[in-house]
Amino acid sequence: KEFCEEMLKLKVGELKGLLKRLKELGDKIVVFDKEYDVKYENVVRILKMFEKTDNVKVEDLDEITKHYLIKNNILFMNPIDGLVKPQSKLDLLAIR
């Protein structure tokens, strides 16, 4: 139980750090050889979608933010069923 709690604290800290850096410094992502700004508000909006559900339809997400969260190993996209979900149950708990 202690180990699990520590792992959750670690994941929450990583996610908070990513959001703090994004909010204060901004970030960019390259999609199909074009660079885009990543918007903090869009990242938070997408993460909030997972408060009450385990997965979200890929068409409900904007491409820039979706790519950013997948690239940073926060989310995973299953192309077969068209769903996006956190990389693991631990990531889901950290997001919530």
Side-chain angles (χ1 to χ4, degrees), residues 33-53:
D33 297 325
K34 187 171 179 186
E35 189 174 77
Y36 298 92
D37 289 324
V38 179
K39 293 184 171 59
Y40 170 82
E41 296 79 14
N42 290 349
V43 171
V44 171
R45 180 183 53 77
I46 285 177
L47 293 178
K48 283 185 177 187
M49 291 178 170
F50 292 97
E51 286 179 344
K52 295 183 175 143
T53 186

Side-chain angles (χ1 to χ4, degrees), residues 14-73:
E14 289 174 356
L15 189 55
K16 282 182 178 180
L18 177 98
L19 290 171
K20 183 174 177 10
R21 285 187 306 277
L22 180 59
K23 186 175 185 178
E24 292 179 10
L25 306 173
D27 206 349
K28 296 183 183 296
I29 187 164
V30 176
V31 180
F32 299 121
D33 297 325
K34 187 171 179 186
E35 189 174 77
Y36 298 92
D37 289 324
V38 179
K39 293 184 171 59
Y40 170 82
E41 296 79 14
N42 290 349
V43 171
V44 171
R45 180 183 53 77
I46 285 177
L47 293 178
K48 283 185 177 187
M49 291 178 170
F50 292 97
E51 286 179 344
K52 295 183 175 143
T53 186
D54 293 352
N55 53 60
V56 174
K57 291 179 183 176
V58 70
E59 58 265 10
D60 294 340
L61 309 178
D62 70 274
E63 288 297 312
I64 295 167
T65 311
K66 178 186 77 175
H67 277 80
Y68 179 76
L69 290 168
I70 291 171
K71 177 184 174 231
N72 282 286
N73 295 319

Side-chain angles (χ1 to χ4, degrees), residues 55-59 76-85:
N55 53 60
V56 174
K57 291 179 183 176
V58 70
E59 58 265 10
F76 167 79
M77 185 179 84
N78 184 334
I80 295 170
D81 59 15
L83 294 176
V84 176
K85 58 185 179 179

